Amino acid sequence: EEEHSMHALEWALDVLLIHRRPNDRIVVLFARPVYSSLSGPEFVLTDEAKEAMENYQQHRAAETVKCCNRICAARNVAAETLVLVGDARDVISETVDNFKADLLIVGSHGFGVIKRAFLGSVSDYCAHNVKCPVVIVKKPT
């Protein structure tokens, strides 16, 4: 997942040059899923499993933030990084609203129609639901 997001960040900084205007503000968001709500009649997660998943997500978030900071530092760009917990679609939409964003740039996995139908597409959701222009960046294969 992060590979596609990091490509989108690099593309935005290198191609769109969004950091070149004096008032540009770059906010890099990492949305962590909520695993505590996964228990249901179909399966049950033990407290140990939930804790392990939570620790893994905290580690992933920290590594992703480090990577974003390296990408931005290599280009002398100051960016604010946020790690928020929740469904990525909701977290991104709320963050766009809260910051009154002028532009949202998201990475795309490039899933086909069938995978998108089963897994959903965060980028597709954003393109149809956020209140600002959306650029979806697909990593070349």
Side-chain angles (χ1 to χ4, degrees):
E1 294 176 349
E2 288 83 11
E3 178 183 350
H4 300 277
S5 299
M6 293 308 114
H7 174 73
L9 175 60
E10 291 174 326
W11 183 88
L13 296 175
D14 296 342
V15 176
L16 291 184
L17 305 173
I18 58 172
H19 59 290
R20 303 294 165 105
R21 296 183 313 217
N23 294 326
D24 281 347
R25 179 178 185 190
I26 300 169
V27 178
V28 178
L29 172 64
F30 181 84
R32 284 186 31 221
V34 180
Y35 290 114
S36 60
S37 62
L38 286 179
S39 293
E42 299 83 25
F43 60 94
V44 176
L45 291 177
T46 64
D47 289 339
E48 293 81 15
K50 289 178 189 176
E51 183 178 346
M53 293 170 85
E54 178 67 21
N55 290 339
Y56 172 71
Q57 284 301 318
Q58 287 177 358
H59 174 73
R60 271 186 62 212
E63 290 301 312
T64 300
V65 167
K66 283 183 199 175
C67 186
C68 289
N69 289 336
R70 279 193 301 271
I71 290 169
C72 291
R75 291 159 177 83
N76 294 317
V77 173
E80 180 178 346
T81 54
L82 297 175
V83 177
L84 301 176
V85 178
D87 181 274
R89 293 169 286 227
D90 299 331
V91 168
I92 292 169
S93 295
E94 290 169 11
T95 303
V96 164
D97 289 345
N98 291 342
F99 281 93
K100 296 176 179 48
D102 295 320
L103 177 67
L104 172 64
I105 300 167
V106 293
S108 172
H109 293 278
F111 289 154
V113 175
I114 295 173
K115 275 191 181 178
R116 253 194 332 268
F118 285 105
L119 299 176
S121 168
V122 172
S123 58
D124 185 60
Y125 177 88
C126 291
H128 291 94
N129 292 284
V130 299
K131 298 173 184 165
C132 70
V134 178
V135 175
I136 300 172
V137 181
K138 183 178 175 189
K139 185 175 182 190
T141 52

